[in-house]
Amino acid sequence: MCQKQLENLAAVVEKFGSAPTIADMPRRTLADKGINGPTAAHVIEEVHSPYNLAYLTFTTGSSAFQNIVGVTFEELPDRKRATQKALEMANISRGAHALVTYAPLVNVYSAQALHEYGMTWSFLLRSSRDALIVALCRDKPKVLIGESGFLKVALEDVANLGLAEAMPRDCIVLCSGTPLDLDIIPLAQKYGWQIHDLYGCQEFGWIALDGRPLRDDISLVPSPLGDDYKELVLGGLPLADSFIIGAGGHECNSSGQILTYRRKRTHPEYEVLITATTFSDPTIIEKAARSILRIKSRVVKVHPHIKCNAEATEMQLVTNMALTERDAKPAATITGPQKTRLFDSLVEAQIAFQKAGKTDPTWVKKS
């Protein structure tokens, strides 16, 4: 009798059930994310990605160890608007095709944003300069996306190999991933290429093109590096990057004021204190600070005397040293709703997560 009951239960488990089998689980592949191109810096690993994230990506590792980054659904609309603005400012037409030299860069746009702009893209056969030169000479792309140092050395190789005549002309180049190497500009001019400096990061998407902001929740605040530099703050969250603000304009556009190619890492880095919230209970802010903001590698703390039911979020930027000084004044105060929009969208993601109960019964701790 016991064996028959077991067999009946096993049959039910195999054929029915609210929880999925591994074969039933939805899959988000490299192709789904639009990053199915080769790189020499990664292995391909399947992971269980939380359903509350739009996708996972990693920092490029240009200045530190590569860290995992989670992108929420709630922040995608601003990312898409910034991407569209960048493409329009660079005079890239809808429906254009781009050659992307480093596949993970697509995550900063998000494949969804490029699809909505009508763009298509392809990758190199191998992540090497020789493969780039072959693709340039054979396919003659009109749009090129890649890191400026890599592109610059490839252009030098083209001249040494005697392939200049086979190169495409009038290409629009979006240099991104690392600070713009200015030496690429005269090399590219030989082919009539338009060089653009696209600044951003995996954590928050694109922020500036040729020194011009792509979002309206950007603030420039005093930097610990001195009066010549300003710290860039996005949606209330400091990026740990400081820039010269140049009256003479950006090398790629005279109207651009943020000299993104003259970036310096801010030291000491700012931390964020939330001093006011629109919520009646600060618990939601505390949870967001402890969880979702950590996937952005940002330290956010809740002021012990936070003001609730405020008209807008208020955030103070302080240094680690200032935190130990009772009467220390903040370096800057960021007040919403516009200037704190990114932070507020991440709090919205935290709220959405809390409203959606866990769907995996194995995590239910109480009967």
Side-chain angles (χ1 to χ4, degrees):
M1 185 66 177
C2 179
Q3 182 63 30
K4 185 175 182 180
Q5 289 176 324
L6 177 59
E7 290 176 358
N8 289 339
L9 180 60
V12 171
V13 169
E14 290 173 6
K15 296 182 179 180
F16 308 101
S18 58
T21 66
I22 187 68
D24 296 331
M25 290 181 67
R27 293 175 180 264
R28 187 182 297 140
T29 66
L30 294 181
D32 294 327
K33 295 166 71 173
I35 61 169
N36 52 323
T39 87
H42 302 88
V43 297
I44 299 173
E45 178 179 358
E46 290 186 288
V47 299
H48 286 89
S49 180
Y51 68 86
N52 49 285
L53 294 180
Y55 58 90
L56 297 175
T57 184
F58 286 83
T59 57
T60 60
S62 59
S63 61
F65 199 84
Q66 289 184 268
N67 291 316
I68 194 168
V69 173
V71 179
T72 67
F73 291 98
E74 285 75 9
E75 63 191 282
L76 286 179
D78 278 324
R79 282 200 179 216
K80 288 192 291 185
R81 281 189 287 269
T83 293
Q84 178 173 331
K85 187 173 182 179
L87 297 174
E88 290 175 344
M89 288 167 58
N91 295 316
I92 296 175
S93 60
R94 292 179 180 271
H97 182 83
L99 175 64
V100 180
T101 65
Y102 182 66
L105 281 175
V106 174
N107 280 336
V108 192
Y109 295 86
S110 87
Q112 183 183 29
L114 293 175
H115 284 312
E116 290 192 12
Y117 198 76
M119 285 190 67
T120 57
W121 58 97
S122 57
F123 302 103
L124 304 176
L125 177 64
R126 301 181 186 276
S127 56
S128 67
R129 295 200 306 272
D130 289 345
L132 171 59
I133 293 171
V134 170
L136 289 172
C137 294
R138 284 183 173 176
D139 302 334
K140 295 182 170 45
K142 289 299 183 182
V143 180
L144 180 62
I145 300 172
E147 188 269 329
S148 61
F150 178 71
L151 299 178
K152 181 199 75 171
V153 178
L155 290 178
E156 293 172 341
D157 289 347
V158 165
N160 294 332
L161 293 170
L163 293 173
E165 291 300 318
M167 288 287 283
R169 265 56 180 177
D170 303 321
C171 187
I172 299 175
V173 185
L174 298 178
C175 294
S176 51
T178 58
L180 178 67
D181 186 333
L182 296 178
D183 290 338
I184 193 177
I185 296 177
L187 292 172
Q189 287 175 340
K190 297 177 182 179
Y191 306 104
W193 288 10
Q194 303 172 42
I195 297 294
H196 294 284
D197 180 16
L198 185 55
Y199 167 75
C201 58
Q202 293 282 2
E203 296 96 314
F204 303 124
W206 298 118
I207 297 167
L209 180 77
D210 300 339
R212 295 175 292 172
L214 296 173
R215 298 175 54 139
D216 60 8
D217 56 348
I218 291 174
S219 302
L220 293 169
V221 305
S223 170
L225 297 179
D227 294 338
D228 291 339
Y229 286 86
K230 297 293 184 183
E231 165 85 0
L232 201 153
V233 179
L234 180 64
L237 300 175
L239 300 182
D241 283 344
S242 292
F243 303 96
I244 296 285
I245 305 302
H250 191 283
E251 288 288 338
C252 296
N253 190 303
S254 58
S255 64
Q257 299 298 302
I258 307 173
L259 305 189
T260 44
Y261 48 85
R262 297 187 64 179
R263 180 194 74 182
K264 283 190 176 182
R265 293 298 189 188
T266 305
H267 182 78
E269 290 188 17
Y270 285 127
E271 292 187 357
V272 179
L273 282 176
I274 309 301
T275 53
T277 177
T278 58
F279 297 100
S280 58
D281 183 354
T283 303
I284 186 65
I285 305 296
E286 294 170 355
K287 289 183 177 179
R290 289 197 307 268
S291 61
I292 199 166
L293 287 163
R294 300 294 171 87
I295 65 175
K296 302 298 185 182
S297 301
R298 293 299 177 267
V299 177
V300 176
K301 299 179 179 179
V302 179
H303 195 283
H305 304 297
I306 186 173
K307 178 183 178 182
C308 296
N309 296 314
E311 292 185 0
T313 302
E314 182 181 272
M315 313 168 75
Q316 291 184 352
L317 271 56
V318 297
T319 64
N320 287 322
M321 293 181 292
L323 284 172
T324 64
E325 301 173 13
R326 176 173 296 184
D327 298 325
K329 294 182 179 180
T333 299
I334 311 295
T335 303
Q338 178 179 307
K339 293 299 183 181
T340 63
R341 193 170 65 245
L342 173 60
F343 172 80
D344 292 337
S345 71
L346 294 174
V347 174
E348 290 172 5
Q350 177 69 35
I351 295 171
F353 173 70
Q354 290 180 198
K355 287 181 178 179
K358 284 189 177 295
T359 59
D360 192 335
T362 62
W363 281 96
V364 177
K365 296 183 174 65
K366 294 181 180 180
S367 59

